Amino acid sequence: MYFFLILGILLILGGRFLTYKGRREENKIFMKQFEHEKTRSDTKKMGLIANEKNIMYKKILFSFIIGCFLELILMVTTIVLFCENNELCILTGGIVFLIAAVNQLVFLLKYNLSLKYSSFLIESNTRKLLNYGNIVISVGFLSMAIAVAASYIN
């Protein structure tokens, strides 16, 4: 159990580092192409363009939002149950990590679709760095879910 817990934490931190490096490179490329830093409105424009050109993007965005709400509801449930029933707390905690892993992959798909339809050209190495970072984070969340499941079994 502790092995998967530590592995999950290390994977999440490593994935965050990879995505940080990828975002930094992405901002440099964006600066060269558009001569200003990438802002939140630029990201929204990329999403709106993808939304107009691909119906699947809207479904992915909707499932991402639902996943975020499920995570929030289950986290609150876990905190409330922590005071009363230990087994239910462990179970909902594992489900939170499982939903977080799936949600990270849905976010990755949403990001790649928005890049596909935008005028922003990103280098493949930078895109790979961002994708690998998000996949590593997702595997880290899965590892945490396995650690919680192992503690539930014991």
Side-chain angles (χ1 to χ4, degrees), residues 48-62:
L48 288 174
I49 292 169
N51 193 18
E52 291 173 1
K53 294 186 178 183
N54 192 342
I55 297 170
M56 189 67 171
Y57 182 83
K58 192 179 291 185
K59 293 177 183 175
I60 290 170
L61 182 63
F62 185 67

Side-chain angles (χ1 to χ4, degrees), residues 77-114:
T77 306
T78 303
I79 292 169
V80 169
L81 291 176
F82 185 68
C83 299
E84 296 178 15
N85 191 342
N86 226 0
E87 287 183 8
L88 280 176
C89 177
I90 291 171
L91 188 63
T92 55
I95 293 171
V96 165
F97 285 123
L98 192 62
I99 290 174
V102 171
N103 217 18
Q104 193 72 28
L105 292 175
V106 169
F107 172 76
L108 178 66
L109 185 60
K110 179 182 83 70
Y111 174 76
N112 282 323
L113 271 177
S114 68

Side-chain angles (χ1 to χ4, degrees), residues 22-39 42-47 49-50 53 111-124 126-127 130:
R23 290 272 183 224
R24 202 170 61 195
E25 288 298 315
E26 181 187 42
N27 285 335
K28 285 180 187 176
I29 295 167
F30 194 89
M31 188 75 147
K32 286 179 188 175
Q33 287 181 10
F34 298 104
E35 298 177 354
H36 66 87
E37 288 186 13
K38 186 176 178 186
T39 61
D42 293 323
T43 306
K44 285 181 184 177
K45 286 177 191 173
M46 290 168 55
I49 292 169
K53 294 186 178 183
Y111 174 76
N112 282 323
L113 271 177
S114 68
L115 276 181
K116 182 179 179 182
Y117 294 108
S118 73
S119 60
F120 177 43
L121 302 173
I122 190 170
E123 296 173 2
S124 64
T126 305
R127 195 172 192 172
L130 287 165

